[in-house]
Amino acid sequence: MVSTAIQPAIDARKVVKNFGETAVLRGLDLSLPPGEVTVLLGSNGAGKSTLLRILAMLTQADSGSVSIYGVDLAEDGPAARGLTGSVLHSPMLYADMTGRENLMFFASLYRLQNIDELIARTAAQVGIESTLDDRVRTLSHGFQKRVALARALMHDPRLLLLDEPESGLDSQSVSRLDDVIDEYRKAGRTVVMTTHIVEHGLEIADRAVVLSGGVVGLESSSPGQDRAVILAAYSLSPEQGPWQGPAA
Amino acid sequence: MRDSLAVIWSIGRKDLLLELRNKDVVVAVAGFALLVLVIFTFSLNLTPDIAKLVGPGVLWAAVAFAGVTGLNRAFALEVEGNTLEALMLAPISRDLIFLGKALGNFLFITVALVVVLPVFAVLFNLVVFRWEMLAISLLTAIGFSSVGTLFAAMSVRVRAREVMLPLLFLPVVTPLIMAAVESTSHVVNGRSWSDMSQWLQLAAAFDVVFIVVSAFVFQHILED
């Protein structure tokens, strides 16, 4: 029998992550369909960045399972990482290499072909053509973030993970980032991003997920309409536990 | 296999490129080792017999301590810019990251040895330019870089990493240092391959064991 069910882009089940005595994720379940832009919301310490780091395979869950497009992270890490592009808090670039040298180096790790052409195309996409041959150390934080975005896009990943991507960016860079996200959505790819600029997040997202108390407190597939409820759930601190729904 | 070798070479070449620009590691290793050699030259009354007796020990102790300085720096660079995490994002197995970093460290130690050995030969007035010495140097550099890369990765997130690395590294490489000192002693006394074969075999066995063990353990160190 052929299954007609759509394979989720992300399927996380009973994910637990503790840092010492502090429980950050407490049995989180999350299934996200492909081809959507999902914004992860939550107050500081809600576990958004931890969840993204687990998805990017920079940290391991203490228990539970996570798969990306059906590939279990624990079973085939390299394959799962090949499906994913990530821009996390820090640009993670070699400061004494130029943007082009950084991209060439990472392209070789991703075993990409036609690297020069690929770099030219991605650089144009994120608007770094003019600074590509400058050492990263000399670039502004905004341009460093753009180079990091180019690195994440170079291998055309099916899932793009962005952790507060707009932090430190000027309005022009944020607008370009929105364009990239929109192009990704149109190409049927999946984007999962965290943000503290909630209004902006709700504006560009197809789906909003609010983390509270280490689990999914609220999930909405129409964030524009559910704005008030999402904002109420977002304002909960981690100590207040999961969202229990609107007060009667 | 070819893909894996290309990835290892990419990481090693990147480290070499950064080193050519910064000269952090080679200058630290070669500079420290040269200073130790010079200090011992002036503090010992070096007759030919004393030079042959203590020279090999001084040489490899200097290289081992200097190596710690360089290994610390080589890994700290990856952590300061969070670039180790960028390597971890790539769709490659973690042991390739280890082998690439170990290749970079091997190149640094080898370059430092190229600087240190001629100075050692002049200061101690000993003949060291023989094929046997090349074999000893390469085997020792491989062992230092594999063990050093592993322990540098382990200690890099620790607050007192400058203290932690030598505490972990030096006891483990003691058999390798012994093999290097004994083999070098045979070289400066003009003996043949057969006289030093057991020490070279010990060094080769050490290298094989620690490359395999370190590559395996390294993957677990990277995760959390």
Side-chain angles (χ1 to χ4, degrees), chain A residues 53 57 59 81 94 101, chain B residues 21 78 85 90 92 94 224:
Chain A
R53 289 178 64 81
M57 298 194 66
T59 191
R81 289 196 291 275
Y94 293 97
E101 286 168 343
Chain B
R21 289 189 181 159
E78 294 283 5
E85 293 201 334
I92 54 176
R94 311 294 203 211
D224 293 323

Side-chain angles (χ1 to χ4, degrees), chain A residues 16 26 31 36 53 93 96 98 131 194-195 203 218 220 233:
Chain A
V16 172
R26 307 173 193 218
S31 183
E36 286 191 358
R53 289 178 64 81
L93 298 166
D96 286 314
T98 66
T131 55
T194 69
T195 183
E203 208 173 285
L218 179 74
S220 164

Side-chain angles (χ1 to χ4, degrees), chain B residues 147 151 164-177 206:
Chain B
V147 176
F151 287 141
M164 189 56 75
L165 180 58
L167 285 178
L168 293 168
F169 174 77
L170 291 171
V172 173
V173 295
T174 299
L176 187 62
I177 294 173
F206 181 97

Side-chain angles (χ1 to χ4, degrees), chain A residues 17 53 56-60 78 81-82 90 92-94 96-97 101 105-106 108-111 135, chain B residues 3 7 10-11 14 17-18 21-22 78 81-83 85-92 94 96 223-224:
Chain A
K17 181 67 186 176
R53 289 178 64 81
M57 298 194 66
L58 293 178
T59 191
Q60 279 184 329
R81 289 196 291 275
S90 136
M92 302 191 291
L93 298 166
Y94 293 97
D96 286 314
M97 284 162 62
E101 286 168 343
F105 168 62
F106 287 107
S108 71
L109 298 190
Y110 284 79
R111 300 164 172 128
R135 286 202 188 175
Chain B
D3 275 358
V7 166
S10 273
I11 297 172
K14 177 267 300 171
L17 173 72
L18 287 171
R21 289 189 181 159
N22 297 327
E78 294 283 5
N82 264 337
T83 45
E85 293 201 334
L87 296 178
M88 291 167 66
L89 291 174
I92 54 176
R94 311 294 203 211
L96 296 185
E223 314 279 350
D224 293 323

Side-chain angles (χ1 to χ4, degrees), chain A residues 78 81 94 105 108-111, chain B residues 1-15 75 78 84 87-88 90-105 149 211-212 214-220 222-223:
Chain A
R81 289 196 291 275
Y94 293 97
F105 168 62
S108 71
L109 298 190
Y110 284 79
R111 300 164 172 128
Chain B
M1 179 70 179
R2 256 177 94 174
D3 275 358
S4 299
L5 290 175
V7 166
I8 294 167
W9 173 238
S10 273
I11 297 172
R13 191 182 53 187
K14 177 267 300 171
D15 281 354
F75 231 94
E78 294 283 5
L84 187 59
L87 296 178
M88 291 167 66
I92 54 176
S93 67
R94 311 294 203 211
D95 47 4
L96 296 185
I97 299 177
F98 166 78
L99 292 171
K101 291 299 297 176
L103 173 65
N105 288 331
T149 303
I211 287 174
V212 174
S214 301
F216 178 74
V217 175
F218 185 81
Q219 329 179 20
H220 299 284
L222 284 192
E223 314 279 350

